Amino acid sequence: MKKNLLQPETRAEIIARIDKLSPTASARFGKMNVNQMLRHTTYGLQNAMGEMAATGPKTGALKRALMRFVIMKTDMPTPEGKAKTMPEFNTVENKVNPTDFHAEREQLKANINRFPNASKYGAESPLLGPMTKEDWARLNYGHLDHHLKQFGA
């Protein structure tokens, strides 16, 4: 089974990597600072748990199937600086610039820990279509992995 946030050992690995971040961590690629990245990845989890809507462009059936296969079934890394985010998650363009690194880090870790037992999960991703709890767990693992690599963690 591919790594996902339903696996306790995978959550522990991700949290350990988050704990390696510092307020002065700089991005190896992309435009976000570390605080923006922490908030951005929190948004992804909140979307998965049905707490935040995403209205990105809907993809066609062929592109959706291809992207779903690559994201869910392979370990192919997300291209650095190439992937577009959902408009609601774009902390740079939306000028969301949190100032408290420690609060952002703790909020992200809290969302990771409550993810497996959330009361609900979003029904659909604009990019990937209908989603299950397991789909969200895989997608958010990949999302977190990508952004932690962005900051060297």
Side-chain angles (χ1 to χ4, degrees):
M1 178 188 301
K2 298 292 181 192
K3 286 186 176 183
N4 69 71
L5 295 182
L6 298 177
Q7 301 160 329
E9 66 279 6
T10 300
R11 286 193 310 280
E13 169 212 321
I14 288 289
I15 288 172
R17 289 170 64 191
I18 291 168
D19 284 338
K20 290 180 182 176
L21 294 169
S22 75
T24 59
S26 55
R28 296 177 173 180
F29 58 89
K31 299 176 183 176
M32 288 187 286
N33 63 44
V34 69
N35 292 358
Q36 288 173 315
M37 180 276 290
L38 293 168
R39 177 71 62 88
H40 169 81
T41 50
T42 295
Y43 287 164
L45 286 159
Q46 290 173 332
N47 176 245
M49 293 185 285
E51 300 168 0
M52 182 178 187
T55 59
K58 300 258 184 197
T59 54
L62 183 58
K63 184 176 181 181
R64 178 180 288 175
L66 178 62
M67 292 186 74
R68 189 175 188 90
F69 174 79
V70 170
I71 291 169
M72 301 298 192
K73 304 292 184 194
T74 76
D75 289 322
M76 185 180 298
T78 303
E80 295 177 359
K82 301 290 184 198
K84 292 277 187 185
T85 190
M86 303 299 166
E88 296 84 358
F89 301 175
N90 195 324
T91 55
V92 174
E93 287 187 15
N94 294 333
K95 297 180 177 30
V96 174
N97 195 12
T99 57
D100 188 337
F101 168 81
H102 298 288
E104 293 300 322
R105 183 171 63 183
E106 293 308 308
Q107 180 67 28
L108 176 57
K109 289 170 21 178
N111 277 285
I112 290 167
N113 281 323
R114 72 185 182 88
F115 175 84
N117 299 309
S119 59
K120 66 177 183 172
Y121 298 91
E124 185 168 323
S125 160
L127 183 65
L128 302 177
M131 299 286 281
T132 65
K133 176 181 179 176
E134 291 75 17
D135 293 337
W136 285 119
R138 174 68 181 153
L139 178 63
N140 275 276
Y141 168 78
H143 188 227
L144 286 159
D145 179 61
H146 169 73
H147 286 297
L148 289 169
K149 287 177 182 172
Q150 178 183 15
F151 285 87

